[in-house]
Amino acid sequence: MITTNKETVKFSLISATILGLCSIIVCGSFMWFLGFFSLLPVLGIGILIFGVTYFFIYFQTQKYLFGNINTIYEELDIAENVPQSRSLVTTDMNTLKQQVRDYAKTRNKEIENLKGQDEYRKEFLGNIAHELKTPLFTIQGYILTLLDGAKDKPELCEKYLLRASKGVERLEYIIKDLDLITKLEVGDLNLEVEEFDIVALIDNIFEMLEIKAKKKKITLMLDRKYEPIFVTADKGRIRQVIVNLVVNSLKYGLENGTTEISIEKLIGSKLIVRVTDNGEGIKKENIARLFERFYRVDQSRSRDEGGSGLGLAIVKHIIEAHDEQIYVESVHGIGSEFSFTIEKIAQQESNVVEGLVAN
Ligand code: ADP
């Protein structure tokens, strides 16, 4: 369907009126000259010429405009961006101008988006190269030193091999984290939601990290004794979240410190799990960027602690994939608290959660 425009109607009317009037004057004069002037046939001819001219000019102009505008629609694919259907091509200039403006706006947004993605890709590749370079150079350095003669000295041989092996370990967990974050970002990671006892999961994680905590004399504890609390989530992924948060509390915690986990009831069926430490804390200005990939407050400190810089980005992705929230509060020199929400199972006896958590 072609929607008409006022300009075409106006132009056709003016042209038809001029031609109609001209034909009246020409016919009238001619008849007058031949001596059989009669008003009615002269007016009839004028009206006929007016009508024919109006419709001819109107349809020819519409055809011409429609043909050209249709080409613009096809070439720019504007119709995809306008709410009307593809067949509603308009020859109304104001509507057309608005559609072209909307089209340009949409395209500009897309271009901005693509530029952003390109920036992100470049930055991501740069970061990966940088992350991999450090352990690779370390491994290469020790191997070259061994080949240069250190292999013949047994005490150096073992020491350097152990260091090279540490580098390989570091490469391994950077690649593992990269693989996971890529999967999370392309939405390739299907959550396997199940019901599980989060208290048992935390106990199990504490057991697993006990040796690591002991090295820094950090105590891992729950804030109180809990009965089992059942939640619905992907157990493996939530385990990863808690492990990453607890490991961070150990990495950036102080000797003889404490890492404490608490579980509290929120409104409705939500629980909040808090991981609190009394470590070095984070300055206010660094908090906003903590969940960015490869962001570290102190680059060398993080690397010394064996961090890939992806731990919190992974945590955020997992929590968001569950449609839950993650929060951070920290005071530099005092400590940090990372917390996330989780869904408790609907039919759970309320006294299990409320009673114990409110204690
Ligand atoms: P990393 O591998 O560097 O630990 P993360 O993404 O896990 O990467 O953390 C990003 C940065 O956030 C860390 O480099 C550290 O500076 C800061 N950070 C994370 N957790 C804590 C914490 N519990 N206490 C103090 N700083 C922390």
Side-chain angles (χ1 to χ4, degrees):
M1 191 184 98
I2 308 171
T3 55
T4 56
N5 64 5
K6 288 185 200 112
E7 282 83 7
T8 313
V9 174
K10 215 160 96 185
F11 176 68
S12 310
L13 267 177
I14 293 171
S15 313
T17 311
I18 292 171
L19 264 174
L21 284 175
C22 286
S23 60
I24 288 173
I25 293 166
V26 170
C27 280
S29 311
F30 191 63
M31 285 167 92
W32 184 274
F33 180 71
L34 294 177
F36 55 91
F37 178 79
S38 167
L39 188 63
L40 226 59
V42 171
L43 279 180
I45 288 170
I47 289 166
L48 186 74
I49 299 270
F50 170 83
V52 170
T53 312
Y54 175 80
F55 285 110
F56 181 75
I57 292 180
Y58 177 78
F59 284 114
Q60 284 305 315
T61 316
Q62 279 290 93
K63 203 172 130 193
Y64 174 76
L65 283 177
F66 179 73
N68 283 296
I69 289 166
N70 204 23
T71 314
I72 297 175
Y73 271 79
E74 274 168 12
E75 284 181 5
L76 295 186
D77 222 5
I78 294 175
E80 262 184 21
N81 298 284
V82 294
Q84 299 100 321
S85 83
R86 176 73 184 84
S87 58
L88 280 175
V89 174
T90 182
T91 56
D92 179 72
M93 290 304 145
N94 287 331
T95 315
L96 186 66
K97 271 192 258 172
Q98 190 52 48
Q99 287 181 358
V100 172
R101 254 183 247 128
D102 291 346
Y103 169 80
K105 226 191 258 172
T106 315
R107 284 289 178 265
N108 276 346
K109 257 192 220 152
E110 278 172 16
I111 290 168
E112 284 306 311
N113 224 346
L114 287 174
K115 276 188 193 162
Q117 281 176 17
D118 194 40
E119 272 305 302
Y120 161 72
R121 189 185 55 81
K122 280 186 202 152
E123 197 186 312
F124 193 54
L125 283 177
N127 281 328
I128 293 173
H130 189 74
E131 289 305 320
L132 297 179
K133 230 163 48 190
T134 321
L136 264 181
F137 285 169
T138 311
I139 298 163
Q140 192 186 33
Y142 286 120
I143 290 175
L144 287 178
T145 318
L146 283 166
L147 289 175
D148 277 351
K151 67 177 188 313
D152 302 323
K153 298 174 187 154
E155 71 288 358
L156 285 184
C157 184
E158 189 175 346
K159 190 169 145 191
Y160 290 171
L161 278 175
L162 278 173
R163 288 188 185 170
S165 151
K166 275 236 172 287
V168 174
E169 247 173 54
R170 187 165 157 68
L171 271 183
E172 199 185 324
Y173 68 64
I174 292 174
I175 288 166
K176 232 170 64 198
D177 278 359
L178 273 173
D179 186 44
L180 179 59
I181 203 149
T182 312
K183 279 186 184 147
L184 285 163
E185 290 194 351
V186 295
D188 225 19
L189 203 82
N190 291 327
L191 292 181
E192 286 168 24
V193 176
E194 57 179 307
E195 293 177 1
F196 62 92
D197 174 10
I198 193 156
V199 179
L201 179 71
I202 294 168
D203 282 340
N204 181 273
I205 292 169
F206 279 172
E207 262 171 41
M208 185 188 89
L209 295 173
E210 206 180 295
I211 296 171
K212 202 175 170 68
K214 268 199 179 134
K215 280 188 191 157
K216 255 179 144 177
K217 299 192 190 84
I218 291 179
T219 313
L220 300 176
M221 57 189 279
L222 279 158
D223 67 325
R224 61 176 75 94
K225 194 167 165 31
Y226 290 92
E227 290 288 311
I229 298 175
F230 289 92
V231 294
T232 47
D234 183 322
K235 189 177 175 184
R237 298 291 158 218
I238 294 298
R239 179 188 177 84
Q240 175 127 39
V241 167
I242 301 173
V243 167
N244 283 11
L245 295 179
V246 174
V247 166
N248 274 355
S249 78
L250 300 178
K251 285 195 294 194
Y252 309 105
L254 305 178
E255 287 228 348
N256 297 312
T258 308
T259 295
E260 187 181 274
I261 298 189
S262 67
I263 308 161
E264 287 166 38
K265 192 176 183 295
L266 280 184
I267 305 160
S269 56
K270 297 282 177 207
L271 297 176
I272 186 159
V273 180
R274 299 180 198 274
V275 181
T276 314
D277 66 63
N278 49 8
E280 65 189 46
I282 306 154
K283 285 189 183 145
K284 220 174 171 182
E285 63 265 29
N286 297 318
I287 289 184
R289 299 195 59 195
L290 281 188
F291 295 98
E292 286 177 22
R293 292 161 229 90
F294 298 112
Y295 180 79
R296 290 137 160 156
V297 174
D298 179 344
Q299 299 281 343
S300 57
R301 171 84 203 274
S302 158
R303 288 211 179 89
D304 290 349
E305 294 290 350
S308 68
L310 292 169
L312 288 181
I314 289 172
V315 164
K316 186 167 183 271
H317 272 298
I318 294 176
I319 295 300
E320 283 176 355
H322 281 83
D323 277 334
E324 299 291 351
Q325 305 286 325
I326 174 115
Y327 307 97
V328 54
E329 277 177 44
S330 188
V331 181
H332 189 52
I334 303 282
S336 311
E337 181 184 283
F338 288 83
S339 53
F340 64 90
T341 58
I342 197 162
E343 185 85 14
K344 77 173 161 71
I345 63 164
Q347 69 272 35
Q348 190 166 186
E349 285 295 318
S350 59
N351 62 346
V352 171
V353 178
E354 276 160 24
L356 287 156
V357 173
N359 264 332

